[in-house]
Amino acid sequence: MKIENDPNDEVCELVNGVEVSLGELEDSIHAYLFKAVKNNNGTGILLLSDIFGSEDSFTRDFAYRIACNGFNILVPDLFHGNPWSKDRPRAMFKEWIAAQSRERILKDIWRWTKWMVDEFMAAGISKKLGIVGFCVGGGRVLEVLAQDTGACFGAGVSFYGTTMESLDVSDIKVPVLFILGDNDPLCAVSAVQNINKKIDGGSKVVIFQGRGDGFAHRPGSPEEDADAEKAFMIMREWLNDNLVV
């Protein structure tokens, strides 16, 4: 395991950002870790990005802000340096997404989960980890929690998760917070409500009227900014209540 300070980061008294890598050569995987400095509550959070990847500025800004509230946020590069880009022709999307192996991505997630267990739980800092995801990452949240069955993760947050309908969520043993808009063609309210009914343990669905995909972490208007702020506060309280308090 290798950790390097990012020379491009501005010094911040609240958050320290470092590059993290596991493995060697072609087997190596990378992530970015935001660690709270002054107000660190010892809790580790795994943040799964949308298709734009771990280096996307919106994802980094969101992770940074969570860390400013006392958490330690790991953002893995699940696309191995090849995230989707808005500059690419839309016709290339099917080819790109087909190359993103589900098995490989899940393997990476579990490798990083083990690292976080060793980093936070084995050290006696965190009792449980948290997991948060956007869009496709929001769908992975449920998949990971179903496989984990409460062993490592104590709570999850799924922001407008996609490809969730076919998942078996009956093995999820921890509470999940679902945040979505009612105008999202990729994440239907009815589907999320049906999934929520199958999860034991005090899960919750929060629906924002008139909002579509991505509003909470990449708002595109002053109105979305206001709802993004509300969504962040709801998530923060959820993480505090289920992992810290």
Side-chain angles (χ1 to χ4, degrees):
M1 185 269 289
K2 182 179 178 184
I3 298 180
E4 297 179 353
N5 287 305
D6 188 341
N8 296 318
D9 273 355
E10 295 182 2
V11 176
C12 174
E13 63 179 6
L14 293 178
V15 175
N16 179 35
V18 293
E19 297 282 355
V20 186
S21 61
L22 294 176
E24 299 292 338
L25 301 176
E26 69 275 0
D27 190 47
S28 66
I29 56 176
H30 304 274
Y32 200 86
L33 177 65
F34 295 87
K35 296 188 74 172
V37 178
K38 286 189 174 181
N39 60 338
N40 197 309
N41 59 32
T43 302
I45 304 290
L46 184 63
L47 179 62
L48 307 181
S49 73
D50 58 19
I51 60 175
F52 298 106
S54 60
E55 295 188 10
D56 174 73
S57 61
F58 286 101
T59 297
R60 288 279 180 106
D61 289 347
F62 196 95
Y64 183 92
R65 190 177 179 197
I66 301 176
C68 283
N69 283 269
F71 296 91
N72 303 287
I73 316 301
L74 185 74
V75 190
D77 173 16
L78 298 178
F79 305 116
H80 289 198
N82 183 33
W84 180 249
S85 169
K86 290 183 179 179
D87 296 332
R88 296 187 184 187
R90 184 66 184 176
M92 294 179 59
F93 182 76
K94 286 186 177 180
E95 178 183 353
W96 175 83
I97 198 68
Q100 309 308 318
S101 165
R102 169 184 171 274
E103 291 75 16
R104 192 266 302 158
I105 289 174
L106 286 173
K107 179 182 177 181
D108 285 359
I109 290 172
W110 286 114
R111 287 177 69 185
W112 284 118
T113 299
K114 183 181 184 302
W115 181 84
M116 295 186 75
V117 167
D118 293 340
E119 184 78 3
F120 299 106
M121 292 173 63
I125 301 173
S126 293
K127 293 182 179 179
K128 293 286 184 178
L129 304 173
I131 183 168
V132 177
F134 306 120
C135 306
V136 64
R140 299 285 185 204
V141 164
L142 300 189
E143 196 165 8
V144 171
L145 290 178
Q147 292 183 9
D148 181 58
T149 63
C152 300
F153 294 100
V157 182
S158 175
F159 284 93
Y160 23 79
T162 59
T163 63
M164 298 189 298
E165 293 84 351
S166 61
L167 296 177
D168 181 4
V169 298
S170 59
D171 287 331
I172 295 179
K173 306 302 181 185
V174 299
V176 181
L177 171 64
F178 296 91
I179 296 179
L180 67 154
D182 67 351
N183 193 29
D184 187 343
L186 301 177
C187 182
V189 170
S190 59
V192 172
Q193 290 174 331
N194 288 334
I195 290 171
N196 184 56
K197 292 175 183 177
K198 300 176 183 177
I199 302 175
D200 295 328
S203 293
K204 181 179 180 181
V205 178
V206 178
I207 302 166
F208 284 82
Q209 301 298 317
R211 297 293 163 243
D213 189 64
F215 78 91
H217 75 297
R218 49 177 75 248
S221 68
E223 293 76 19
E224 285 196 345
D225 279 338
D227 280 348
E229 179 70 16
K230 293 176 185 176
F232 184 90
M233 295 303 178
I234 292 169
M235 177 206 65
R236 184 185 67 178
E237 293 305 313
W238 179 265
L239 295 175
N240 273 316
D241 290 346
N242 287 283
L243 298 172
V244 181
V245 178

